[in-house]
Amino acid sequence: MQASEMRALRTLYTHKHLLHPTSNPRSLAFFKPLQNPHFYRGVHSTSHRLLSQESSLASLSSSSESEASDSAPTVDNIYDPSARWVRSSGGEAGSGPESEARSGNGEIYEERRYFGGGRSSYAGSNKKGKKRGCWVCSNCGYTDGQWWGSCRSCRSAGTMKQFTVEENNGGSEKVRGFELSENVVRTWLPQRAGEVRPLRLTDVNKGLNQLEWRIPLYGPFGEEVSTVLGGGLVPGSLILVGGDPGVGKSTLLLQMAAMIAEGHDLGRSAPVVYVSGEESVEQIGSRADRLSIGTEELYLYSSTDIEDILEKIQALSPRALIVDSIQTVYLKGVAGSAGGLSQVKECTSALLRFAKKTNIPVLLIGHVTKSGEIAGPRVLEHIVDVVLYLEGEKHSTHRLLRSVKNRFGSTDELGVFEMSQSGLEAVLNPSEILLSEEHSESEVMAGLAVAVVMDGSRTFLLEIQALCLSSSTVSRQVNGIQGSRADMIISVLVKQAGLKLQENAIFLNVVSGVTLTETSGDLAIAAAICSSFLEFPIPSGIAFIGEIGLGGELRVVPRIEKRVHTVAKLGYKMCIVPRSAEKALSSSSFGDMAIVGCRNLKEVINTVFTT
């Protein structure tokens, strides 16, 4: 078949409804281009001579098209689906049956006809903002124009999520949070953008006192939070606090806001703004009243519009800004609803720009997913300066504040709090919550040993419980201890210490539901198993520090001197340590506590389990 014949057939197919005119002919012919089948274009013709021309295929493809183009001006039409009418985007058409259905302003009221099985929008000469679909990786934030089975950046499968981005004037520029908040932030700047230039490191640090630079937090609660932050709140920092629902994130930041507003370091109160997108001002005030917070310069505001928030707080010039939460705020020009990937990313970027330009610290609350990670794109944690997690068991009043990212301090610090009627209170001695109570009248308990572990710079004392039971159907059960580590310690006790544990079921447990991850608790685990198997209680006031090797030898663990100092402060009478660490500890004074060094497990058994 020749190309001309194919064009004639295609023209005949698209105009076949014109070959059978009715008493009320339609004036819209819908063409479906082959290059883009999903795009439909409406063409309005002022002439009907196509209905009466010759019927041959060749003449229909040649003469009728030339006549329509020469004598019948065509105009583009844009269809409004809500009003069900077509607006003409070209010049006025001529007279005829179709002009009767057209109103005075050139609008044709016509029922829309669909071809190809789908609805599509009509594009006229006056183009509005378009929406472009993008795929974003929720793990690393990589953006792609089409969907792939896995992220081409981090290779994670099933993490590509679709969202739309609104474009200006045909898609030349993408709307971003930086651009939307530029006018608001610029009013805060002390100098024009053109005057910003690179500075020498020596000029930046000249006359800057690092101790007075940070915003201090006073009291036991403030000192605990300052320890996790690395020494205080850094001006211009962006801090993200995550945690499970109901763990106390809003309570934590409300207490911090009240403490900053008191301004102990300034000698006067300073304004602090607490913005909530989840609660009303009255609800926040009720919670502040329960926490006995009556700071005069603490301002409350309920809003979800970022631009509105920045405009309203400008007159106050606050010392700190708190947003609860980042998943509830939005920017008007960014596509998607609040909490979506694009909204969370752009809102965080806008707040980051605000914090860096104004030197005002911004604290954000973030929701978490079922897996415990902060909801939103992974790039959210890359944008902020500090990421804190507030953890706590559902049936426990104690809370742990950890730092997983900190550009201004160590990520090894840990804060311990207790939730009470008056809010979060600092726990001065965390070991008290991890040591079980003595329920028996005797000073000893079989199968129980005290281990000394560290989390960051904090030292904790944990109780290890062991139970050896003969002729049991269950061979082994472990809670809070790595199963492979427990198997190794039991095997070493059988081989190197000579204990007949093969026919016993062994149960191990760490008190208070804590998970033991470091090797400094190996010696305490072995001592608890020996105590239960030999039915010989360990005398109270003895702590164990050391790692066990496959040969039964005891090895030194890091920062053992600090561990021993903590044990001595708590009033323990004896501390069992590896023999290699005894010489290094001899130069320090630990009061009345005795330091006993042992080379292997046999010496430990002979030292502890003797009458």
Side-chain angles (χ1 to χ4, degrees), residues 188-473:
W188 294 74
L189 302 182
Q191 57 183 358
R192 294 176 298 177
E195 299 177 359
V196 178
R197 63 185 185 279
L199 300 177
R200 293 189 183 93
L201 175 62
T202 55
D203 295 337
V204 173
N205 295 331
K206 184 181 299 183
L208 181 63
N209 190 346
Q210 296 292 337
L211 298 178
E212 299 178 357
W213 179 50
R214 296 174 182 254
I215 301 176
L217 303 175
Y218 293 91
F221 172 82
E223 292 177 357
E224 199 78 4
V225 176
S226 297
T227 301
V228 179
L229 292 175
L233 190 62
V234 176
S237 60
L238 185 61
I239 301 174
L240 178 64
V241 181
D244 294 332
V247 74
K249 302 183 296 297
S250 300
T251 302
L252 173 68
L253 291 190
L254 186 59
Q255 291 183 240
M256 291 180 61
M259 190 168 296
I260 298 172
E262 291 176 359
H264 290 284
D265 57 320
L266 299 177
R268 56 178 176 81
S269 58
V272 175
V273 180
Y274 186 100
V275 180
S276 177
E278 302 174 349
E279 300 175 280
S280 64
V281 174
E282 292 76 14
Q283 292 173 333
I284 305 173
S286 175
R287 178 153 46 90
D289 182 67
R290 178 175 59 85
L291 300 177
S292 301
I293 296 177
T295 307
E296 185 176 354
E297 291 298 321
L298 178 58
Y299 293 86
L300 307 179
Y301 187 53
S302 179
S303 177
T304 56
D305 187 355
I306 289 292
E307 295 182 76
D308 174 64
I309 293 172
L310 298 183
E311 289 177 359
K312 294 296 175 58
I313 69 175
Q314 180 180 357
L316 298 174
S317 186
R319 199 180 188 191
L321 171 64
I322 297 173
V323 178
D324 182 9
S325 64
I326 189 60
Q327 280 81 12
T328 60
V329 295
Y330 68 93
L331 281 169
K332 294 180 180 178
V334 179
S337 59
L341 296 177
S342 57
Q343 283 286 358
V344 170
K345 177 183 176 182
E346 299 299 342
C347 289
T348 307
S349 300
L351 291 174
L352 175 68
R353 184 177 178 85
F354 167 79
K356 301 307 178 184
K357 293 295 184 181
T358 61
N359 216 29
I360 297 176
V362 179
L363 293 89
L364 309 176
I365 291 180
H367 299 166
V368 296
T369 60
K370 294 181 179 179
S371 60
E373 297 179 352
I374 295 180
R378 191 67 176 181
V379 70
L380 174 62
E381 299 185 33
H382 293 278
I383 295 176
V384 300
D385 298 315
V386 181
V387 179
L388 303 179
Y389 276 90
L390 187 62
E391 305 172 354
E393 296 294 333
K394 184 178 296 185
H395 304 289
S396 175
T397 59
H398 294 95
R399 303 289 186 266
L400 301 179
L401 183 64
R402 298 180 184 271
S403 173
V404 298
K405 176 188 177 181
N406 192 352
R407 291 174 177 167
F408 315 113
S410 174
T411 57
D412 295 332
E413 301 298 339
L414 177 70
V416 183
F417 303 90
E418 183 177 6
M419 181 67 74
S420 62
Q421 291 294 332
S422 59
L424 290 172
E425 298 180 357
V427 178
L428 301 180
N429 184 13
S431 298
E432 293 179 353
I433 66 177
L434 302 175
L435 298 176
S436 63
E437 299 179 357
E438 302 277 348
H439 296 286
S440 61
E441 297 181 356
S442 63
E443 297 181 357
V444 293
M445 182 180 294
L448 188 147
V450 177
V452 184
V453 299
M454 295 194 70
D455 194 325
S457 62
R458 304 293 294 270
T459 304
F460 299 93
L461 271 65
L462 302 177
E463 284 191 358
I464 310 297
Q465 295 178 339
L467 176 63
C468 296
L469 182 63
S470 59
S471 64
S472 175
T473 57

Side-chain angles (χ1 to χ4, degrees), residues 2-47:
Q2 300 296 328
S4 59
E5 298 178 359
M6 295 179 63
R7 286 195 299 270
L9 286 175
R10 184 164 59 249
T11 305
L12 175 63
Y13 177 77
T14 55
H15 293 78
K16 62 182 181 180
H17 63 285
L18 299 176
L19 299 178
H20 304 282
T22 60
S23 59
N24 185 21
R26 298 183 180 272
S27 60
L28 293 180
F30 294 90
F31 297 89
K32 183 176 180 180
L34 296 179
Q35 293 82 357
N36 190 356
H38 300 286
F39 178 77
Y40 294 90
R41 184 172 184 136
V43 178
H44 169 227
S45 176
T46 59
S47 175

Side-chain angles (χ1 to χ4, degrees), residues 40-88:
Y40 294 90
R41 184 172 184 136
V43 178
H44 169 227
S45 176
T46 59
S47 175
H48 294 280
R49 284 182 290 173
L50 286 176
L51 300 176
S52 59
Q53 295 298 326
E54 59 268 18
S55 59
S56 64
L57 297 180
S59 61
L60 183 60
S61 62
S62 57
S63 61
S64 62
E65 291 179 356
S66 62
E67 291 180 65
S69 60
D70 294 337
S71 59
T74 59
V75 292
D76 293 342
N77 303 283
I78 303 175
Y79 177 74
D80 188 352
S82 59
R84 300 191 67 82
W85 50 260
V86 179
R87 180 185 297 133
S88 178

